[in-house]
Amino acid sequence: MRVALFIPCYTDTLFPETGRAMVALFERLGLAVDFPEAQTCCGQMHVNTGYQREAFPLVRHFVQTFADAEVVVAPSASCVGLVRELYPTLARASGDAALARATLELAPKVFELTEFLVHRLGVTDVGAYYPHRVTYHPTCHSLRGLRLGDAPYRLLERVRGLELVPLEDAEACCGFGGTFAVKNADTSAAMLSDKVRGILNTRAEVCAAADNSCLLHIGGALSRGRTGVRVVHLAEILASTEAAQGQGGTHQPLPGGTHGAST
């Protein structure tokens, strides 16, 4: 199978190690990997802030870029949710019938990483090794949007050396929500405080998730609090092997012990 990587713009810019981890993981599983260099932002920020018309060109560009892909896989439940759930609606709203048909044809071929592994490939043991105490934050789009269910947990439970510890109130939002954190800063900060308290109560070394956007938000608070708890995208854990651990892992933590946001 040939997999086309869709790497969301903030992951490409701020967390390039997540994309590299996906390449390493897929190649280890025997999959051929493409990275269409023409890809850009999917338009989620535009749509979430009410600029749907301005997102039409991005919808058209995404469909053109991935039109020939066998499957498209991304390390982001939120961006996959936009493409799969809202692109057909946006295309119809644009008045372009051909684009509407193209989005309906493409949408079923677009997957978030863990659902692709578990539900499309039927794989739960990817041969990973990650000797750390880890808790998992199910992001809103992975939980309530794509309904990933236990797919991330089934993968984490089969990582050798990993101790998976439950997160209290795991289903509670971290308070990010894109521009929600900007427009409702006080509410967002209160939600984030609850999430961080839950993470610290687990005594985990690492907090993992399927969306770097939420990890950016959580990681900033963990870093400011000098907690020593790192945030790591799930893809990087699944890509990790004994050899990678011996070389310092699939990523290099930022100063202060937190991988991700430092401010």
Side-chain angles (χ1 to χ4, degrees), residues 15 25 40 51 55-56 61 69 86 89 92 134 137 144 164 172 199-200 204 226 231:
F15 301 92
L25 173 62
T40 62
Y51 293 92
F56 293 163
H61 182 75
L86 292 182
T89 301
R92 286 195 298 273
V134 176
H137 166 60
R144 288 173 273 272
L164 182 60
I199 293 169
L200 295 179
R226 300 183 183 279
V231 293

Side-chain angles (χ1 to χ4, degrees), residues 43-140:
Q44 183 182 181
M45 187 67 73
H46 304 68
V47 175
N48 288 354
T49 50
Y51 293 92
Q52 296 191 2
R53 183 172 300 279
E54 284 74 9
F56 293 163
L58 295 171
V59 174
R60 184 172 291 104
H61 182 75
F62 186 98
V63 171
Q64 292 171 345
T65 301
F66 290 101
D68 297 328
E70 184 176 358
V71 292
V72 181
V73 183
S76 169
S78 60
C79 293
V80 168
L82 176 76
V83 172
R84 211 161 66 196
E85 305 297 332
L86 292 182
Y87 264 24
T89 301
L90 291 168
R92 286 195 298 273
S94 75
D96 186 334
L99 180 62
R101 287 194 297 273
T103 57
L104 289 173
E105 292 175 2
L106 179 61
K109 298 191 293 184
V110 180
F111 296 89
E112 182 276 338
L113 173 63
T114 64
E115 68 174 354
F116 174 68
L117 292 172
V118 175
H119 299 307
R120 181 70 167 78
L121 296 183
V123 174
T124 54
D125 187 344
V126 296
Y129 173 73
Y130 195 77
H132 299 286
R133 185 179 171 92
V134 176
T135 195
Y136 182 76
H137 166 60
T139 65
C140 292

